[in-house]
Amino acid sequence: MTRTREAATDTEALLQAQSGVLERIAGGVPLPDVLTEVATTLERLMPGCHCSILLLDRESSTLRHGAAPSLPATYSSRIDGLAIGRDEGSCGAAAYLGTPVVAEDVTTDPRWIRYRDLAGAHGLRACWSTPIRGRAGVVGTFAVYHERTHQPTSRERDLVDRLTHLASVAIDHHALFGALADSEERFRRAFDDNAIGMAITAADGAVTRTNEALRDLLGRSEHELTGIRLAELFTPVTAPDAPYEATLRHPDGRTLDVVVSVSPVAGPDGVPVRLIANVLDVTQRRAAERERQARHEADVARRAAERASRAKTDFVAALGHELRTPLQAVTGFTELLGSLDLPPERRQAALEHITGAAGHILAMVDDVLDVARIEARALPLHPVDIDVPAVVAEVLSLLEPLADAEGVHLRDESGPAALHGDERRLKQILLNLAGNAVRYNRTGGTVVLTTRTEPAAVVITVADSGRGIAPEHLDRLFTPFDRLGADSGEGVGLGLPLAKGLAEAMGGGLAVESTPGRGTTVAVTLPR
């Protein structure tokens, strides 16, 4: 009957302790006060004992003071910072091993060698320590001291087990809500003190809170901004993704460039409950970028103008050279015809030389005029149905004398192909491309013309085995009058630009691939 009455009393006391501790936890009472309540409860239920609760510091692997309502203060201060280990007293060993450790007599227990004098000086003879387990494992120890040798009874073990659990609840709650409070404080500092403008909004984008940086950026107070939606503050310049560029109008009249990044904060069900917006002022950066871009464009334009000027200078020199030879022929043979009475055959030969020279001059003038018409988008075209292989054969026939003189072999590998376009302009394109392929070839080299029909186009390729084009010259191939450093005996720099312009005027295009030392392939694509 006595044991039953004692058990009922213990249960009632434990329930009262549990209610009191949970109320203190809910009321936000500091952890040391809550743990003192737990220790005091056991001391009431076990008269003559002294309780101590130590907290594990994982970083230093030491035990720190938590609560010790009846232990001498000097003793508590001496064991504050106790290292954990097999031979570090009852508490150090219990925390290290994760199991209860009972030292019935600290004067003989080997685990108390370093602490028995300290315990004896404060009248402590026995110590029983139980590890406190929380969510993260062992979080501390619950120790029961006696002033005489003592072995815990089953009732005492049961009481300690229950109060140890209550202590673990308090410690876990403190860790959880302490971390939450710490996180909230860090967020508050990061939000309020951030140099970047920040706003917290409701799920619909209505502003609920702003930091000082954003208020300064917008030139408005917290009261003025509360309730305004983000979309009303900024004018997006790019798609409103995260992040996006926008502008805002400052009350002083300035237009500012900003980058806005909006991140959702989800609730327990995963549905966004609020938004956090970061607003970075990039006005000066954008102004600097625009200035750099303007300088770059001005520099590009200057270099282009200089290149065009050099090209035109080269063109004048080349054209002068190209014209001088046929003009000298015209002048010479004209004087010959005027001063001498020539036999009919020599007179006919002189007239043929004059006709050939004049034709050469006229062809150069026509090329210059065609380039000008292409640039002015005024090139006349006369589309007809074209048998492409027939044009290829005619072009190769016209180039045979030049190819023979240069020691270059011509090959026609064109297959059946037809398109609707200007036959004269197609012939002009192929004469320019194939003529270049012959002139810039090598003795014994080849020039191959092929055709390929695609669903919507005909592709004509001119491939040579010549010297190729240096990579640094590829971006200058289609600049009129730019002869890529060639000497004055190699044309006026109109062949490729003219061919490309004619192809584009017919709705097609022209592409060049070249490998120095291995040759060049030019592909002309024209719509069918």
Side-chain angles (χ1 to χ4, degrees), residues 40-104:
T40 302
T41 299
L42 184 63
E43 289 178 349
R44 284 199 305 267
L45 293 171
M46 293 173 56
C49 76
H50 304 282
C51 292
S52 170
I53 298 177
L54 299 178
L55 304 175
L56 178 62
D57 182 344
R58 294 186 181 279
E59 291 187 4
S60 61
S61 296
T62 59
L63 293 169
R64 310 298 304 193
H65 175 71
S70 65
L71 276 177
T74 53
Y75 180 82
S76 295
S77 65
R78 290 285 301 276
I79 64 170
D80 186 22
L82 174 72
I84 66 172
R86 293 180 180 274
D87 301 319
E88 300 294 336
S90 298
C91 293
Y96 180 79
L97 298 172
T99 59
V101 173
V102 178
E104 184 177 353

Side-chain angles (χ1 to χ4, degrees), residues 211-480:
N211 69 350
E212 184 177 357
L214 183 60
R215 294 193 294 271
D216 289 345
L217 181 63
L218 297 173
R220 303 190 192 183
S221 67
E222 179 95 21
H223 176 72
E224 291 174 317
L225 291 171
T226 301
I228 296 179
R229 284 180 168 75
L230 288 176
E232 299 174 28
L233 296 173
F234 312 109
T235 302
V237 175
T238 60
D241 300 325
Y244 65 91
E245 295 187 12
T247 61
L248 64 88
R249 189 75 173 175
H250 195 275
D252 63 9
R254 290 178 297 154
T255 297
L256 303 180
D257 297 318
V258 295
V259 174
V260 182
S261 176
V262 180
S263 303
V265 178
D269 57 358
V271 177
V273 294
R274 63 179 58 87
L275 305 174
I276 295 180
N278 293 291
V279 184
L280 177 62
D281 183 3
V282 294
T283 304
Q284 293 184 349
R285 184 192 304 175
R286 292 291 182 265
E289 289 173 355
R290 287 191 291 269
E291 184 179 350
R292 286 195 297 270
Q293 182 64 23
R295 287 201 301 267
H296 173 71
E297 291 175 356
D299 188 51
V300 170
R302 178 184 56 78
R303 290 199 300 269
E306 291 174 352
R307 188 162 60 244
S309 177
R310 287 194 299 271
K312 289 179 181 178
T313 300
D314 291 345
F315 164 69
V316 171
L319 186 62
H321 174 84
E322 292 289 327
L323 289 174
R324 186 177 297 111
T325 300
L327 285 173
Q328 285 176 344
V330 170
T331 303
F333 283 109
T334 301
E335 290 178 352
L336 186 63
L337 290 173
S339 60
L340 297 176
D341 186 14
L342 298 175
E345 63 275 8
R346 289 194 61 191
R347 184 179 184 85
Q348 182 61 35
L351 289 172
E352 289 177 356
H353 280 296
I354 291 173
T355 301
H360 183 60
I361 294 171
L362 182 60
M364 280 192 291
V365 172
D366 284 343
D367 283 351
V368 173
L369 291 175
D370 281 342
V371 169
R373 292 188 187 104
I374 290 169
E375 291 180 347
R377 300 180 184 275
L379 183 73
L381 294 174
H382 304 285
V384 296
D385 291 331
I386 304 172
D387 180 3
V388 178
V391 175
V392 169
E394 183 180 354
V395 167
L396 293 179
S397 176
L398 291 172
L399 290 174
E400 278 184 0
L402 175 63
D404 291 342
E406 299 288 340
V408 174
H409 305 288
L410 300 177
R411 286 212 316 267
D412 183 354
E413 296 183 0
S414 58
L419 59 86
H420 190 73
D422 191 313
E423 185 172 350
R424 173 172 169 265
R425 298 303 184 183
L426 175 60
K427 190 182 304 181
Q428 195 175 356
I429 292 170
L430 297 182
L431 280 170
N432 271 300
L433 298 179
N436 279 347
V438 171
R439 292 187 187 90
Y440 297 104
N441 217 306
R442 56 183 173 81
T443 302
T446 58
V447 174
V448 181
L449 272 73
T450 62
T451 60
R452 183 177 75 254
T453 300
E454 296 183 346
V458 171
V459 181
I460 309 167
T461 61
V462 179
D464 66 62
S465 59
R467 68 188 73 169
I469 301 169
E472 63 270 19
H473 289 160
L474 288 175
D475 62 344
R476 295 164 49 193
L477 284 177
F478 304 113
T479 302

Side-chain angles (χ1 to χ4, degrees), residues 105-128:
D105 186 349
V106 300
T107 62
T108 59
D109 194 297
R111 290 165 294 203
W112 276 81
I113 291 177
R114 285 196 293 276
Y115 307 102
R116 60 181 52 155
D117 290 341
L118 176 63
H122 292 85
L124 304 174
R125 186 70 180 271
C127 180
W128 159 35

Side-chain angles (χ1 to χ4, degrees), residues 488-518:
S488 59
E490 296 181 297
V492 294
L494 287 180
L496 275 175
L498 181 58
K500 183 174 186 291
L502 291 173
E504 291 176 349
M506 294 171 65
L510 184 148
V512 177
E513 292 183 0
S514 186
T515 303
R518 297 182 60 182

